Amino acid sequence: MALDVKVFESIVPSRFLSFTIPRPDLRLRLLRIAVLDSPFPLRGPSQVAALFVPLNRESDWIFSTEAGHLQLLLSFPGISRLVLLGRNPTADDPDSSPVTCYDESQGTQFLEKLRSMLKPLLEALSPKTDGAGGLENGFADVPICEYVDNVISRRVLTTSVGEFVGEMLVEDVELEMEHTSAECDENHGSNRDFRRQLRFKRMPNLVQTEIRLIPALVSSSSVEIGENVSLKPDCGVLVQHYFVAMVASLSLIANCIETQIRNGLRPKALCLGIGGGALLSFLRSQLGFQVCGVEMDKEVLRIAKQYFGLDDNEITIHVGDAFDFVDELAGARKQSSDSKENSCLIESGSFDVVLVDLDSSDAWNGITAPPVEFLERHTVFAARSILAESGILVVNVVPSIRLVYDDLIQQCRGIFSELYEIDVGNGENFILVAKVSPVLSSADDSRDSFSDKLKDLISGKYLDYIRKI
């Protein structure tokens, strides 16, 4: 049945349409078109943008699902309609093989060939304007964008479905990196890195967890994804920048942690949200923390243990709602010793740090963290009550609008003694740090101090980025 182009003359919030047409440059092959209208009401004239799907990336969740298209649309502020254009994959395309390699130059050639040919199509897919501004034929010029990342090749290891997070994917990727000379020497002269990634289909543009992979017994410069070479997780390095910033916040209580260690006590961390477990594994293996984690989805935990090196023999795991768990810690500690499952339920003021890494489960809100429930259910106050007197609450914040972040700051300001912020520098993540007691300067500069270890393990720039607010 032919598609009536008149349906595109107006914006219909949240409407999603997908269809194929013969390619203008090759009539025997098809071009896949997807049109997604913004879920938000129009404010002013409608704005349209087109995006070419990178060659051989057509089956990626970000490009092949409505949720993925929504994430892309929300990354273009002010855009009311997003038009995606890409090849319609066939069985003999490279993307149908277990390992997919990407050639950026081929993608650029494909884009340039089609750019001029597709102008009439994009005009037909644009909503009609009111003729203001001198627009020809009542249509605005549609900007054509490219999706650029540093992925060289990828191999999907598994897909799975969690009870709460829905569909998820685990893949190994090879990335083109910009290493410093020291990093290149450490990587045997190669500017490539191997990573393992966990992504949720409801937010496919967001890498939930990423860890570094190390080729066994050979240098990374001689290995390719998919070869018969073992790649093992490296839990001793954090590659996601916001994780590094969250760990950097520990410098605010480094002297207190050092005192505990010297007294034979392990510092304690509670992590709300586990994902692949990279942060928990790093805290335990590199900084010697006693770690407790809370995750709602059992399938996510299975993936974390099987593919990301999470060791539940060394880390205490609680399956359930993170907010309910914090409330339970705050109000019912007397039941803490009754079962192994609740071994995190220990005496008041037990945790040196509570780290919150939870995002919204509603993709229509865009990528936001923490969930609105974090404010609505007084969890901040409950988290304060389970911290040690020198403890800190560390929250990964990805605000949909600045007002949400400001509300969180004001709530924390009324509960905690001091607030600090780390701008991760990616235009998305901020790390909010709330301190129970004022930060005390350390008079002990021992060479083996916790502070020195922290500086050796993470990028010094995030330590410098900490600012009081």
Side-chain angles (χ1 to χ4, degrees):
M1 182 175 66
L3 185 65
D4 185 358
V5 294
K6 289 183 178 181
V7 301
F8 299 108
E9 290 183 355
S10 60
I11 299 291
V12 178
S14 303
R15 180 176 59 183
F16 177 81
L17 296 173
S18 179
F19 55 94
T20 58
I21 62 172
R23 277 173 52 175
D25 63 325
L26 196 59
R27 291 287 176 175
L28 295 181
R29 303 296 289 273
L30 296 177
L31 192 68
R32 180 177 179 270
I33 312 294
V35 180
L36 180 65
D37 288 349
S38 172
F40 306 114
L42 283 177
R43 295 180 179 178
S46 58
Q47 301 291 326
V48 181
L51 179 68
F52 274 105
V53 175
L55 205 60
N56 297 332
R57 299 284 295 274
E58 294 85 4
S59 65
D60 278 18
W61 279 351
I62 185 65
F63 303 116
S64 64
T65 67
E66 182 178 354
H69 298 172
L70 176 63
Q71 292 299 310
L72 289 170
L73 185 148
L74 295 176
S75 67
F76 290 90
I79 293 297
S80 47
R81 173 172 291 170
L82 178 66
V83 180
L84 268 76
L85 311 104
R87 298 184 316 158
N88 194 48
T90 60
D92 58 349
D93 279 336
D95 199 42
S96 62
S97 64
V99 179
T100 306
C101 299
Y102 308 123
D103 186 331
E104 186 176 335
S105 63
Q106 287 184 7
T108 302
Q109 293 170 10
F110 175 69
L111 186 152
E112 292 302 326
K113 184 188 297 185
L114 292 181
R115 189 183 294 271
S116 60
M117 297 180 181
L118 292 173
K119 185 175 181 180
L121 171 67
L122 294 177
E123 287 185 351
L125 296 179
S126 298
K128 282 189 175 180
T129 69
D130 58 6
L135 300 173
E136 296 182 5
N137 303 320
F139 292 105
D141 187 35
V142 178
I144 300 177
C145 309
E146 295 182 66
Y147 185 94
V148 178
D149 59 17
N150 57 347
V151 177
I152 299 173
S153 62
R154 69 183 178 95
R155 181 186 185 186
V156 176
L157 299 182
T158 188
T159 58
S160 185
V161 180
E163 180 181 357
F164 297 99
V165 306
E167 291 184 74
M168 66 189 99
L169 171 145
V170 179
E171 62 182 358
D172 287 350
V173 298
E174 181 182 356
L175 305 178
E176 187 79 26
M177 307 297 292
E178 293 184 3
H179 286 312
T180 64
S181 57
E183 289 171 331
C184 281
D185 290 341
E186 182 181 342
N187 209 29
H188 304 285
S190 174
N191 63 345
R192 299 184 299 158
D193 262 359
F194 297 106
R195 305 281 177 85
R196 181 161 294 165
Q197 298 180 342
L198 171 64
R199 290 191 287 163
F200 296 161
K201 189 173 183 178
R202 60 181 170 84
M203 289 187 173
N205 199 30
L206 175 68
V207 176
Q208 295 288 337
T209 299
E210 183 174 65
I211 59 171
R212 187 182 181 191
L213 297 175
I214 303 175
L217 305 178
V218 295
S219 75
S220 60
S221 60
S222 61
V223 175
E224 294 183 1
I225 292 288
E227 289 184 341
N228 190 23
V229 176
S230 175
L231 296 171
K232 60 180 182 179
D234 181 4
C235 297
V237 177
L238 292 173
V239 297
Q240 289 177 277
H241 296 308
Y242 82 92
F243 275 169
V244 179
M246 292 181 83
V247 171
S249 68
L250 295 173
S251 64
L252 294 171
I253 56 171
N255 57 328
C256 298
I257 292 177
E258 177 66 18
T259 299
Q260 287 190 57
I261 294 173
R262 291 184 179 182
N263 290 331
L265 301 174
R266 294 175 64 189
K268 298 182 179 70
L270 173 63
C271 296
L272 304 181
I274 292 177
L279 180 60
L280 287 77
S281 297
F282 183 87
L283 290 171
R284 184 198 64 79
S285 65
Q286 302 303 306
L287 295 176
F289 272 75
Q290 180 181 339
V291 181
C292 176
V294 186
E295 174 60 53
M296 180 176 286
D297 202 305
K298 292 182 179 180
E299 183 63 11
V300 172
L301 288 174
R302 185 190 69 80
I303 292 291
K305 289 185 281 188
Q306 182 172 346
Y307 293 98
F308 291 87
L310 180 66
D311 187 350
D312 59 350
N313 291 320
E314 298 288 341
I315 296 172
T316 303
I317 302 298
H318 177 87
V319 180
D321 181 270
F323 303 130
D324 289 344
F325 185 74
V326 170
D327 289 342
E328 187 179 357
L329 280 171
R333 290 185 185 85
K334 62 182 180 180
Q335 300 176 6
S336 62
S337 60
D338 293 344
S339 67
K340 180 180 179 180
E341 181 184 39
N342 288 330
S343 59
C344 288
L345 300 175
I346 45 186
E347 69 277 3
S348 177
S350 58
F351 292 104
D352 300 288
V353 57
V354 174
L355 302 110
V356 182
D357 184 24
L358 299 166
D359 59 56
S360 170
S361 60
D362 186 359
W364 294 95
N365 290 329
I367 300 172
T368 60
V372 293
E373 293 86 350
F374 190 76
L375 297 175
E376 293 175 351
R377 298 178 59 184
H378 308 289
T379 307
V380 174
F381 186 82
R384 160 64 180 84
S385 70
I386 62 173
L387 284 165
E389 193 59 32
S390 61
I392 54 175
L393 172 69
V394 182
V395 186
N396 174 38
V397 182
V398 185
S400 56
I401 56 175
R402 179 70 200 191
L403 182 61
V404 174
Y405 188 21
D406 290 340
D407 285 346
L408 177 59
I409 290 174
Q410 289 306 314
Q411 180 167 326
C412 289
R413 200 179 296 281
I415 299 173
F416 290 87
S417 174
E418 294 180 346
L419 299 184
Y420 295 80
E421 179 189 79
I422 306 174
D423 185 346
V424 178
N426 58 3
E428 295 180 349
N429 299 76
F430 296 88
I431 305 304
L432 179 64
V433 186
K435 185 81 171 61
V436 174
S437 303
V439 171
L440 302 176
S441 60
S442 175
D444 188 354
D445 292 326
S446 172
R447 195 171 65 185
D448 295 326
S449 70
F450 178 83
S451 181
D452 289 338
K453 178 184 287 188
L454 203 58
K455 292 176 182 177
D456 289 340
L457 288 172
I458 66 173
S459 171
K461 70 177 183 179
Y462 292 112
L463 298 171
D464 297 333
Y465 286 173
I466 301 174
R467 70 180 188 91
K468 191 173 182 179
I469 58 175

